[in-house]
Amino acid sequence: MGHTIQVQLLGGLDLKVDNRSIRLPRGQAKLALSMLLIRAPGTVSFEALIDELWGEIWPHDARNGLQQVIASLRRVINRAEPGLGNSLVITEPNGYR
């Protein structure tokens, strides 16, 4: 069954699935989702996401940290609608979309 997904970017990020608001995590997961939405339907490179999340000084395990941020985002969306987080945030060879 298809879902109606609504996104509000101006005035604060808000994500609704079938008219139900999803409470998004604060911080890096929300920032990562914002980047993915702004650049949709394209892929955002791992490097671009890491740059946005950590700036010029990347942690030693930045790629692993990014994977944890994306996993957290998917978990929140999946809690609201099982499996949806995995289909909304897709891993590509060079980034996420």
Side-chain angles (χ1 to χ4, degrees):
M1 181 174 135
H3 296 283
T4 302
I5 299 170
Q6 298 168 302
V7 178
Q8 176 182 312
L9 290 171
L10 300 175
L13 179 59
D14 186 38
L15 178 65
K16 289 184 180 180
V17 176
D18 298 332
N19 248 359
R20 292 185 333 253
S21 286
I22 294 179
R23 186 166 188 198
L24 297 169
R26 295 178 186 218
Q28 291 178 318
K30 199 170 191 175
L31 181 57
L33 178 59
S34 296
M35 284 190 66
L36 295 172
L37 290 169
I38 289 168
R39 297 186 186 175
T43 299
V44 181
S45 72
F46 298 125
E47 292 78 14
L49 283 162
I50 291 169
D51 271 342
E52 191 65 35
L53 297 178
W54 285 283
E56 293 180 17
I57 303 173
W58 293 9
H60 175 68
D61 58 350
R63 186 77 174 267
N64 183 46
L66 175 59
Q67 290 171 343
Q68 290 177 10
V69 168
I70 296 298
S72 168
L73 177 58
R74 286 176 173 153
R75 264 192 310 275
V76 168
I77 297 170
N78 284 335
R79 253 186 252 132
E81 186 60 46
L84 187 61
N86 301 331
S87 62
L88 283 182
V89 182
I90 300 170
T91 305
E92 296 289 346
N94 63 337
Y96 295 98
R97 66 175 171 90

